[in-house]
Amino acid sequence: MPLKDKGAALGFIFVTLLIDVIGLGIIIPVLPRLIEELIHGNLSQAAEYGGWLTFAYAFMQFLFSPVLGNLSDQFGRRPVLLFSLFGFGIDYLFLAFAPTIGWLFLGRAIAGITGASFTTATAYIADISTPEKRAQNFGLIGAAFGLGFIIGPVIGGVLGHYGSRVPFYAAAILSLVNWLYGYFILPESLSKEHRRAFQWKRANPLGSLMQLKKYPAFSGLITSLVLVYLSAHAVQTTWTYYNMEKFHWDEKMVGYSLGFVGLMIALVQGGLIRKILPKIGPHKGVYFGLVLYSIGYLLFAFATKGWMMFVFIIPFALGGIAGPSIQGIISNEVPANEQGELQGALTSMMSATAIIGPLLMTGLFAYFTKKDAIFNFPGAPFLMGAIFTILSAVFAYRNLKAKHDLHSS
């Protein structure tokens, strides 16, 4: 792919992911209220259901992500990406019209099956990036995530005032428009000579996770990434419930706060990473990122006023330099025709953490906010996030030190 086309393709993939994340962000501020309506319960109970809904999505994604990752290595990234985008549109329609909580679970399961847009997008970026640009370009995914979370939750918070289902209609329309956009605009990134035949052995989820054993030199970094993903669920799955419970925020305020989270992540992933990483290198990027993440989680856990959450988002977002640094180090050691498989395996691992993470974090929140709790501590998930991140730093340090010693000897 010529240089000019690569720049255009990066732009296309960025817009595709951006619209994807806006759709996801739109529904976050109103999901607790919709669950409360459907189960006729309180916020603490809604958080538990929210955890199980995320579990349903993540479990299906865990099963199907490696299948779609491997299919993209055979048929190319474009058809798989389009299939994913269409699936999201259908999911949001299920959520919009859900008469019972069971329908929400069905919609989330469909989204999990088709939700490989990030796997495929990461492989797409790997296809068109030079090794030295790869970590920076992976930062674009974070930037799309950040920008999508600026726009999505703010729209969701505002639309939520017109009814708890209105944001879901908006998300469905957006996803289906995105699918059409991709159909007419998105070029293929994987050339014919870099494709390989689909193998079930390499596409089953446990097999996909086993593929990570091919990279024993990175076992510590992979463990570090697992702990980063697990800790992230403290924010991803309990932010809305935590701030509604502790600071009595409404959907609009939740939307604005998530918009600010998104703004900071976009600045870090889209701008700062591209400036900082080439200067300090990915190894220091890992350490700086994990220390800042830990500080952010601890500050969230013990915040005493709502405005503090906005201030504490800043060190937390700066921690976002860690993920692309770790991914860049791993990805640079893998050949071109295995990038789809590697990203599929890493997404499987991410999905496996998303099976455990939401249940753990919403479970902690529900336990420490129910009426008969030993003591009231809604910040428990953030404290757990800090513990996981500190452990992550230990694993990353040990792995990178061993690698450095090996090269020195």
Side-chain angles (χ1 to χ4, degrees):
M1 198 183 278
L3 200 61
K4 188 176 169 219
D5 289 353
K6 282 186 180 180
L10 268 178
F12 294 145
I13 210 79
F14 178 77
V15 171
T16 303
L17 286 176
L18 176 64
I19 299 173
D20 213 3
V21 179
I22 290 171
L24 198 62
I26 281 175
I27 69 171
I28 292 173
V30 287
L31 197 56
R33 182 147 63 102
L34 182 61
I35 296 170
E36 276 183 291
E37 284 173 18
L38 292 173
I39 64 168
H40 309 293
N42 61 28
L43 200 61
S44 192
Q45 292 164 322
E48 282 194 272
Y49 274 95
W52 282 107
L53 278 168
T54 313
F55 168 86
Y57 171 79
F59 186 67
M60 287 304 186
Q61 192 176 46
F62 175 69
L63 293 179
F64 286 90
S65 216
V67 175
L68 294 176
N70 276 270
L71 282 171
S72 84
D73 278 344
Q74 178 172 356
F75 297 108
R77 316 301 183 203
R78 181 185 141 85
V80 175
L81 205 50
L82 292 176
F83 174 69
S84 297
L85 298 175
F86 187 73
F88 269 124
I90 300 303
D91 163 48
Y92 294 134
L93 288 173
F94 265 93
L95 300 184
F97 293 105
T100 63
I101 193 79
W103 282 82
L104 286 194
F105 279 97
L106 184 58
R108 292 279 72 197
I110 291 169
I113 292 167
T114 62
S117 52
F118 278 83
T119 315
T120 318
T122 315
Y124 192 108
I125 289 168
D127 292 339
I128 62 172
S129 303
T130 57
E132 57 276 10
K133 288 273 186 191
R134 215 164 254 159
Q136 292 178 46
N137 288 342
F138 283 148
L140 276 178
I141 297 176
F145 226 99
L147 202 52
F149 269 112
I150 298 167
I151 303 163
V154 174
I155 296 172
V158 172
L159 290 178
H161 278 264
Y162 300 101
S164 58
R165 292 169 190 265
V166 175
F168 295 94
Y169 299 126
I173 292 165
L174 209 52
S175 289
L176 294 171
V177 166
N178 194 14
W179 170 67
L180 279 174
Y181 167 83
Y183 183 81
F184 288 109
I185 303 290
L186 196 70
E188 181 52 69
S189 66
L190 189 66
S191 57
K192 292 273 199 292
E193 66 271 17
H194 282 134
R195 297 188 187 184
R196 61 171 181 82
F198 179 86
Q199 292 171 279
W200 277 111
K201 180 170 62 108
R202 293 169 84 159
N204 80 70
L206 293 174
S208 182
L209 278 178
M210 290 301 114
Q211 292 299 325
L212 292 173
K213 285 170 73 178
K214 284 164 62 174
Y215 315 109
F218 297 108
S219 59
L221 280 178
I222 289 164
T223 306
S224 178
L225 212 50
V226 167
L227 289 163
V228 167
Y229 289 148
L230 271 177
S231 63
H233 285 284
V235 172
Q236 288 171 19
T237 54
T238 64
W239 181 269
T240 308
Y241 301 100
Y242 173 79
N243 288 302
M244 284 179 165
E245 174 73 23
K246 191 168 184 178
F247 305 118
H248 309 292
W249 287 3
D250 62 5
E251 290 88 348
K252 204 180 264 188
M253 194 63 184
V254 167
Y256 291 148
S257 72
L258 286 169
F260 186 61
V261 170
L263 176 64
M264 289 309 301
I265 290 172
L267 288 172
V268 171
Q269 303 278 1
L272 279 176
I273 278 184
R274 300 175 89 79
K275 295 271 190 295
I276 294 169
L277 268 185
K279 287 195 175 110
I280 65 169
H283 289 213
K284 280 185 182 162
V286 173
Y287 301 136
F288 284 139
L290 293 175
V291 168
L292 286 164
Y293 264 154
S294 306
I295 293 167
Y297 284 124
L298 287 170
L299 291 171
F300 288 151
F302 297 102
T304 53
K305 297 273 190 298
W307 62 264
M308 291 180 177
M309 297 302 281
F310 283 84
V311 177
F312 299 159
I313 284 164
I314 297 168
F316 176 77
L318 287 168
I321 192 172
S325 298
I326 297 172
Q327 263 192 310
I329 293 168
I330 298 170
S331 178
N332 280 345
E333 304 287 326
V334 174
N337 67 349
E338 288 183 19
Q339 286 292 339
E341 182 178 52
L342 170 71
Q343 301 308 334
L346 288 175
T347 306
S348 274
M349 184 194 73
M350 193 172 162
S351 301
T353 63
I355 292 168
I356 306 157
L359 291 179
L360 174 65
M361 299 305 184
T362 55
L364 278 170
F365 175 83
Y367 180 80
F368 284 102
T369 54
K370 63 184 182 184
K371 288 188 177 71
D372 55 348
I374 308 165
F375 57 91
N376 186 273
F377 183 42
F382 295 119
L383 184 57
M384 183 61 83
I387 293 165
F388 283 156
T389 312
I390 292 162
L391 282 172
S392 171
V394 172
F395 278 103
Y397 173 75
R398 285 174 60 185
N399 195 154
L400 292 173
K401 188 175 183 300
K403 195 165 173 273
H404 178 263
D405 292 347
L406 191 69
H407 285 301
S408 304
S409 59

